[in-house]
Amino acid sequence: MLGAFFDDSGTHAGSPVMTIGGVLGTEAQWDVFAAAWAALLEEPLPGKRPLKQFHLSPCRAGRDEFENYTLAERDHLTYLFRRVILDTGLVTVAAAVDNAAWDELVTGDAAEELGHPLEFLLYQCLNSVSDIVRWRKPGEKTWVFFDEGIRDRVEMFAYAYLQNNKDRPEIASVGFAPVSKVIALQAGDMIATETSQFGQQWLLDRENPVTNPHFESFRWRDISAGLIFDRDAIAEMVERVKAGPPSV
């Protein structure tokens, strides 16, 4: 049995990019991950108090549990938690949309067909997990968990996905849990946040996006899967909806 854990980023009003990102691994990998991540939470850096959770955005900003950390300390701590994901060999999966383009273009029948961008991203991530498992671990089943914070917005859609996508048996179940209590979701938070910030830069300059150095290790791995739906991609989807199903 495999496990995949996803968090979201950029779901607040005015965010330029909305993202769902997460990590996928085997039971053995999750056992190794849990021990290493928990050890870092207990002793993040010499002389620092144990952390309740690792949350990338507050760490970057020096807020909450990280307010007494210097910039260098926060950067090193991010490196240490990032290495846990990489050293464990977890697959990373993410999908992002241009929020402004979605709000402008996805209206009327297209909105009925494509749904809320959060539902769309969940759909893309579940499909990516299914494709990866089918390719790398054929025949395996995957339990997928999302952050409890989006449950009220996507729960019905997630269960409809399970009912209507019988051709994707790799997805055995979809559930929800709080990031603060499930450390695997904290890894999902890192991937979602990094992807959201990269997506913003990519929309500004596709040829030479300003990339956070921590994201580079994820971006170029052969076991990382990421999708960004920009204005052109969204417009193409809307046109397909308007055109209707192909005539036979």
Side-chain angles (χ1 to χ4, degrees):
M1 182 67 71
L2 305 175
F5 298 83
F6 289 90
D7 196 13
D8 57 280
S9 181
T11 57
H12 57 280
S15 174
V17 174
M18 187 180 298
T19 306
I20 290 181
V23 281
L24 165 69
T26 65
E27 288 186 73
Q29 286 176 310
W30 284 120
D31 287 343
V32 173
F33 166 88
W37 197 276
L40 271 179
L41 290 176
E42 182 63 27
E43 189 176 348
L45 291 177
K48 297 296 185 182
R49 295 178 179 177
L51 297 169
K52 294 179 181 178
Q53 71 176 88
F54 182 75
H55 191 183
L56 184 56
S57 291
C59 181
R60 287 259 167 87
R63 293 186 284 104
D64 303 334
E65 292 189 274
F66 307 98
E67 63 181 0
N68 293 323
Y69 282 68
T70 66
L71 177 60
E73 288 172 333
R74 300 197 308 271
D75 185 64
H76 184 58
L77 188 63
T78 300
Y79 164 80
L80 294 176
F81 277 102
R82 172 169 59 86
R83 285 306 327 171
V84 174
I85 298 174
L86 296 171
D87 292 345
T88 309
L90 297 171
V91 175
T92 62
V93 180
V97 297
D98 180 336
N99 261 337
W102 187 282
D103 290 343
E104 178 185 338
L105 299 173
V106 183
T107 59
D109 291 342
E112 289 289 328
E113 178 72 19
L114 297 174
H116 187 277
L118 204 54
E119 296 172 335
F120 175 78
L121 292 173
L122 183 145
Y123 178 85
Q124 295 298 328
C125 286
L126 288 175
N127 281 357
S128 291
V129 168
S130 174
D131 290 340
I132 292 166
V133 173
R134 191 173 297 180
W135 175 39
R136 292 183 173 273
K137 295 283 186 178
E140 290 275 4
K141 303 289 186 180
T142 309
W143 295 85
V144 185
F145 290 89
F146 292 90
D147 171 28
E148 180 74 28
I150 64 171
R151 183 173 191 161
D152 60 334
R153 288 174 282 179
V154 300
E155 184 174 27
M156 295 302 294
F157 180 87
Y159 294 153
Y161 178 96
L162 291 176
Q163 294 297 318
N164 298 324
N165 288 272
K166 300 301 184 183
D167 61 329
R168 291 190 176 274
E170 295 82 11
I171 308 299
S173 177
V174 176
F176 300 86
V179 176
S180 60
K181 295 182 179 180
V182 179
I183 60 174
L185 286 170
Q186 294 172 32
D189 164 77
M190 176 176 281
I191 302 306
T193 302
E194 292 283 18
T195 302
S196 180
Q197 294 178 0
F198 172 76
Q200 294 176 47
Q201 296 300 320
W202 186 83
L203 290 176
L204 293 174
D205 184 355
R206 290 161 175 74
E207 297 300 322
N208 296 291
V210 178
T211 310
N212 186 299
H214 290 292
F215 186 70
E216 287 294 292
S217 298
F218 297 120
R219 185 183 175 194
W220 299 115
R221 290 198 312 164
D222 62 355
I223 55 172
S224 291
L227 299 168
I228 299 179
F229 294 86
D230 61 6
R231 175 174 291 272
D232 291 342
I234 295 168
E236 182 179 338
M237 290 190 296
V238 170
E239 287 303 312
R240 287 203 300 267
V241 171
K242 290 180 178 178
S247 56
V248 179

